[in-house]
């Protein structure tokens, strides 16, 4: 019997890679997208087919994490075997400017997903994956961070994620719901949004290489992060829901690099010296900074058989190679317009 999965945030980086993975595994995949005046499905356009075709396996539904009743109706209608809650306002710096909205989407949104799953679970067994975040560790008190490391969130986003984490554990214990938290450390890809620092770097480096841009403005270059490849991490998400018992797992590479090092990898791929092009802009500093995140994924390795496959240097090169093609296309279009 074909398994069904429901993904919130399917049009995002993780959602698109997860949809590909599940389709490859034979799932029928349903995704929730927010209604807007323009389409934002470019990350999944290559796998989306006319839903009226008899062999279609990907279906999109309009919805919003803040609309609990609509979400429950959708879950009860689709009856998914697995629910992956990846939808969020996921930019940490933006959460300081829009804290109430961030908490509604990230915190209450997760609660709405759990409650919808609880209602479905009365008649149809379902499993829930909650996208937790290494940002929950905040001002860390031990390194590396594990599943038992206390949380000390340092942003509205992180606080909302902590709330969602504990609600997930609560629904697991109180309602016997198969609900897990994936505490994922930073994971990037060519599909990362261009406001996030890694993609901001690789886009700028390639545009500078082709003379389309002169400068790159950044904030704290000394922040250390545990960076992995998003395509590797969605495999871990899936494995968590195939495990015999619901539990919480850290996914991380176990290595840390500063933003300076990511600049080295990215600009070095293009034979450029980043120090000639990067300037510090105080606007990009957070009100409260998280200086070091480093994860220990031993539990995921031992119980799930999951290990990251891509180094930070390899990740940077994958992103630069992709963005170089974008920059070349941009340069060609600019040349045509000039002529």
């Amino acid at each position: 019997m074909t398994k069904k999965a429901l993904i919130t945030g399917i049009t995002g980086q993780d959602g698109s890679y997860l949809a590909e993975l599940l389709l490859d595994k034979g799932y029928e995949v349903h995704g929730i997208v927010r209604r807007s005046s323009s389409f934002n499905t470019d990350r999944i356009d290559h796998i989306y087919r006319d839903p009226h075709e008899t062999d279609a396996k990907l279906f999109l539904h309009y919805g919003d994490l803040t609309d609990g009743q609509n979400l429950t109706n959708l879950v009860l209608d689709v009856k998914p075997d697995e629910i992956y809650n990846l939808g969020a306002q996921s930019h940490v710096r933006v959460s300081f400017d829009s804290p109430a909205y961030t908490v509604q989407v990230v915190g209450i949104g997760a609660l709405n997903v759990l409650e919808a799953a609880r209602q479905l679970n009365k008649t149809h067994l379902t499993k829930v994956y909650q996208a937790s975040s290494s940002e929950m560790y905040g001002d860390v008190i031990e390194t590396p961070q594990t599943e038992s490391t206390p949380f000390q969130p340092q942003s509205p986003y992180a606080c909302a994620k902590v709330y969602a984490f504990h609600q997930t554990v609560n629904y697991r214990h109180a309602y016997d719901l198969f609900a897990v938290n994936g505490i994922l450390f930073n994971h990037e890809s060519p599909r990362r949004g261009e406001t996030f620092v890694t993609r901001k770097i690789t886009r700028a480096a390639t545009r500078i290489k082709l003379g389309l841009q002169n400068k790159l403005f950044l904030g704290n270059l000394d922040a250390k992060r545990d960076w992995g490849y998003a395509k590797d991490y969605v495999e871990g998400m899936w494995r968590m829901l195939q495990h015999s018992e619901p539990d919480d797992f850290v996914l991380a590479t176990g290595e840390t690099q500063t933003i300076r090092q990511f600049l080295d990898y990215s600009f070095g791929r293009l034979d450029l010296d980043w120090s000639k092009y990067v300037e510090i802009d105080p606007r990009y500093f957070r009100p409260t900074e998280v200086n070091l995140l480093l994860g220990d994924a031993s539990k995921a390795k031992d119980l799930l058989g999951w290990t990251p496959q891509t180094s930070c240097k390899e990740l940077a090169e994958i992103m630069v190679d992709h963005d170089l093609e974008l920059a070349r296309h941009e340069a060609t279009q600019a040349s045509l317009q000039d002529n």
Side-chain angles (χ1 to χ4, degrees):
M1 186 174 178
T2 301
K3 277 188 175 183
K4 287 185 183 180
L6 177 66
I7 304 173
T8 74
I10 193 171
T11 59
Q13 169 188 255
D14 292 6
S16 63
Y17 282 121
L18 179 61
E20 287 177 346
L21 176 76
L22 295 177
L23 289 170
D24 285 344
K25 293 182 179 295
Y27 280 66
E28 177 180 306
V29 178
H30 295 256
I32 298 178
V33 296
R34 284 177 296 174
R35 186 182 293 275
S36 66
S37 59
S38 60
F39 289 109
N40 184 32
T41 59
D42 54 295
R43 292 185 180 95
I44 58 171
D45 284 343
H46 65 290
I47 55 174
Y48 185 64
R49 302 181 61 182
D50 185 340
H52 296 100
E53 293 183 15
T54 56
D55 59 345
K57 287 292 185 70
L58 176 60
F59 304 90
L60 300 181
H61 309 267
Y62 286 116
D64 194 300
L65 285 172
T66 62
D67 186 345
Q69 186 59 59
N70 173 266
L71 195 59
T72 296
N73 292 342
L74 179 58
V75 167
L76 292 177
D77 183 47
V78 172
K79 295 181 175 60
D81 302 293
E82 298 171 4
I83 301 172
Y84 296 85
N85 183 33
L86 311 183
Q89 187 301 99
S90 58
H91 198 287
V92 176
R93 180 63 188 83
V94 170
S95 76
F96 286 99
D97 300 322
S98 302
Y101 173 72
T102 299
V103 170
Q104 282 292 322
V105 175
V106 175
I108 302 304
L111 180 61
N112 288 338
V113 169
L114 290 164
E115 183 58 21
R118 183 177 77 88
Q119 296 298 331
L120 175 62
N121 214 45
K122 295 175 181 178
T123 57
H124 180 93
L125 292 179
T126 190
K127 299 178 179 181
V128 178
Y129 170 86
Q130 168 59 27
S132 291
S133 169
S134 59
E135 287 287 335
M136 300 187 303
Y137 295 118
D139 188 14
V140 297
I141 63 173
E142 66 179 14
T143 299
Q145 293 88 54
T146 70
E147 292 80 4
S148 60
T149 301
F151 301 137
Q152 295 199 118
Q154 297 290 297
S155 68
Y157 168 78
C159 289
K161 280 293 187 182
V162 169
Y163 172 87
F165 176 95
H166 287 301
Q167 286 289 10
T168 301
V169 174
N170 180 52
Y171 268 69
R172 183 163 72 215
H173 293 158
Y175 303 117
D176 199 27
L177 180 67
F178 193 112
V180 308
N181 284 292
I183 309 173
L184 273 58
F185 281 66
N186 293 66
H187 47 289
E188 318 296 317
S189 76
R191 299 181 190 175
R192 190 58 143 154
E194 294 183 19
T195 59
F196 290 85
V197 67
T198 51
R199 189 76 196 288
K200 187 177 178 181
I201 288 170
T202 58
R203 281 291 278 143
T206 55
R207 296 186 84 250
I208 288 170
K209 180 69 174 180
L210 297 186
L212 298 170
Q213 184 172 329
N214 297 319
K215 292 289 183 181
L216 168 61
F217 296 93
L218 296 173
N220 181 12
L221 302 187
D222 296 315
K224 295 179 180 179
R225 292 293 183 270
D226 183 328
W227 275 307
Y229 187 18
K231 197 170 183 179
D232 295 342
Y233 284 49
V234 297
E235 170 80 22
M237 298 177 188
W238 176 78
R239 291 192 182 205
M240 289 180 208
L241 292 192
Q242 314 317 307
H243 191 51
S244 57
E245 298 292 333
D247 206 344
D248 306 318
F249 294 91
V250 164
L251 297 187
T253 69
E255 298 180 357
T256 185
Q257 285 86 17
T258 63
I259 292 175
R260 292 177 189 275
Q261 288 172 302
F262 198 89
L263 284 164
D264 283 339
Y265 297 149
S266 301
F267 279 77
R269 181 70 166 176
L270 301 166
D271 297 318
L272 294 174
D273 179 358
W274 63 264
S275 65
K276 296 179 180 179
Y277 307 99
V278 174
E279 293 187 8
I280 303 302
D281 188 334
R283 292 178 300 173
Y284 294 115
F285 283 85
R286 301 179 186 178
T288 49
E289 184 60 75
V290 174
N291 291 311
L292 171 63
L293 292 174
L294 176 62
D296 179 354
S298 298
K299 182 178 175 181
K301 180 180 180 180
D302 293 342
L303 297 183
L304 305 179
W306 179 88
T307 55
Q309 303 297 310
T310 311
S311 71
C312 185
K313 186 174 186 293
E314 291 169 335
L315 170 63
E317 291 174 351
I318 289 169
M319 294 173 67
V320 166
D321 291 349
H322 173 273
D323 286 345
L324 186 57
E325 289 304 310
L326 289 185
R328 285 172 177 157
H329 178 73
E330 188 179 351
T332 299
Q333 294 300 110
S335 177
L336 290 174
Q337 289 178 358
D338 289 343
N339 294 331

